[in-house]
Each structure stands twice: as structure tokens, then as C-alpha cells.
């Protein structure tokens, strides 16, 4: 129910993963239960390599209960420029309105200026900017912008 797909001729061209703010709160309280499975899937040493990235989550502002948070949006390279992302965002608005939510929200990396510009054109506005500590820059992650679009 949280994954939207853009499909043509049985080929997935893009996807969007989103959650209500309430669903996000429930998931964050259960994250520690997934650690054993994550270690089993990735292996212990790969899990250790991933740990520094988990700390990033504590840098983000909280997702409001009136928000539909877009966790991931992707359009596969061969299908970019065909308004697939725009269609996915429009579907996200429909779902948010069905859930009686008032906003779409997302985080985008501060150095992803192309995506930021696309979201602005769609009506998103930057509300917060998170500059990450130096230790994350080795992973080429410098910071994030929280962007919100009012839909009510």
C-alpha cells in the first residue's frame, strides 16, 4: 500500500515509497527489531560499515502526523524526462488526501540541485536544512533539505 509504481508494457519505469507521519513513528520504534535480520542479510562486517549512515536519521526533523512522507522516489534512467516522477507525485497527493493528510514532505540531499529544482517547480518549499557532521562527508553525504508541499 505504500509503494506506487509507474508501469508500462509490464516494465516498471519508476516508483515512489511513502508513509504517513503516523506510520513513520510506528516504524521508527520498531527498527531495533530488524537488526538481526539485517546482519543475516548483509553480513556482520557490512552491517558495521552501514552503522555510521544510520546515525544520520537522528539529524532529521520529525515528520508531522499531518504529512505524507516520501521516503524514496526513483525513475529509471531510460524513462527520465517523460513526466513519470510528476505522475508519481500526483498519485502521492491523491493517497495523502485519501488519508486526510495536509502535506507531502521529503528529504533531498543538498548537493542534488536538479532534484531540488524539480520539487520547487512542483510546489515544494524548503523548510529545514540539515548540515551533517564531517564524518558523513567521506560517504559524499553533506546534508539534506526538508521540503514540504501543502495540499489541503
Amino acid at each position: 500500500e505504500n509503494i506506487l509504481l509507474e508501469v508500462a508494457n509490464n516494465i516498471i519505469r519508476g516508483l515512489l515509497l511513502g508513509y504517513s507521519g503516523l506510520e513513520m513513528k510506528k516504524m521508527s520504534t520498531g527498527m531495533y527489531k530488524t537488526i538481526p535480520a539485517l546482519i543475516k542479510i548483509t553480513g556482520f562486517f557490512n552491517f558495521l560499515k552501514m552503522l555510521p549512515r544510520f546515525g544520520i536519521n537522528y539529524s532529521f526533523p520529525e515528520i508531522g502526523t499531518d504529512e505524507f512522507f516520501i521516503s524514496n522516489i526513483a525513475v529509471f534512467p531510460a524513462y527520465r524526462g517523460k513526466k513519470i516522477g510528476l505522475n508519481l507525485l500526483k498519485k502521492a497527493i491523491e493517497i495523502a488526501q485519501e488519508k486526510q493528510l495536509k502535506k507531502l514532505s521529503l528529504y533531498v540531499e543538498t548537493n542534488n540541485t536538479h532534484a531540488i529544482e524539480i520539487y520547487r517547480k512542483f510546489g515544494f518549499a524548503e523548510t529545514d536544512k540539515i548540515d551533517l557532521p564531517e564524518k558523513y562527508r567521506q560517504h559524499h553525504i553533506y546534508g539534506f533539505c526538508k521540503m514540504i508541499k501543502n495540499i489541503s
Side-chain angles (χ1 to χ4, degrees):
E1 124 185 17
N2 295 323
I3 299 174
L4 303 174
L5 298 175
E6 180 73 25
V7 180
N9 300 321
N10 291 322
I11 298 172
I12 297 173
R13 302 184 315 165
L15 60 90
L16 182 146
L17 177 61
Y19 304 92
S20 71
L22 189 58
E23 289 171 311
M24 292 292 292
K25 286 182 189 306
K26 288 179 184 175
M27 284 190 320
S28 67
T29 59
M31 287 299 286
Y32 293 107
K33 295 176 186 175
T34 64
I35 290 175
L38 198 53
I39 291 171
K40 186 175 180 180
I41 292 167
T42 64
F44 182 73
F45 291 108
N46 286 329
F47 173 77
L48 289 178
K49 289 178 190 175
M50 293 173 8
L51 276 178
R53 295 180 74 104
F54 293 150
I56 292 173
N57 294 337
Y58 297 106
S59 303
F60 294 127
E62 195 168 315
I63 305 300
T65 55
D66 63 343
E67 296 176 31
F68 184 77
F69 178 72
I70 298 170
S71 170
N72 299 84
I73 184 168
V75 177
F76 296 101
Y79 305 105
R80 292 184 183 151
K82 300 179 187 316
K83 304 207 183 296
I84 291 169
L86 180 67
N87 293 337
L88 289 167
L89 289 169
K90 287 178 181 177
K91 288 179 188 176
I93 288 174
E94 290 173 18
I95 289 172
Q97 289 173 331
E98 286 171 12
K99 294 181 181 228
Q100 299 180 336
L101 301 171
K102 298 178 184 341
K103 303 171 188 169
L104 291 184
S105 66
L106 53 84
Y107 293 115
V108 60
E109 290 187 38
T110 52
N111 60 340
N112 191 346
T113 55
H114 180 70
I116 291 170
E117 189 56 35
I118 290 170
Y119 295 133
R120 280 188 187 136
K121 286 180 182 176
F122 191 71
F124 281 86
E126 293 176 39
T127 60
D128 291 290
K129 184 176 178 185
I130 304 105
D131 291 318
L132 295 175
E134 189 71 32
K135 67 181 180 180
Y136 295 108
R137 295 180 183 197
Q138 67 181 332
H139 303 290
H140 306 288
I141 304 170
Y142 302 97
F144 291 86
C145 295
K146 181 175 182 181
M147 300 185 80
I148 291 182
K149 176 180 175 68
N150 291 313
I151 58 171
S152 59

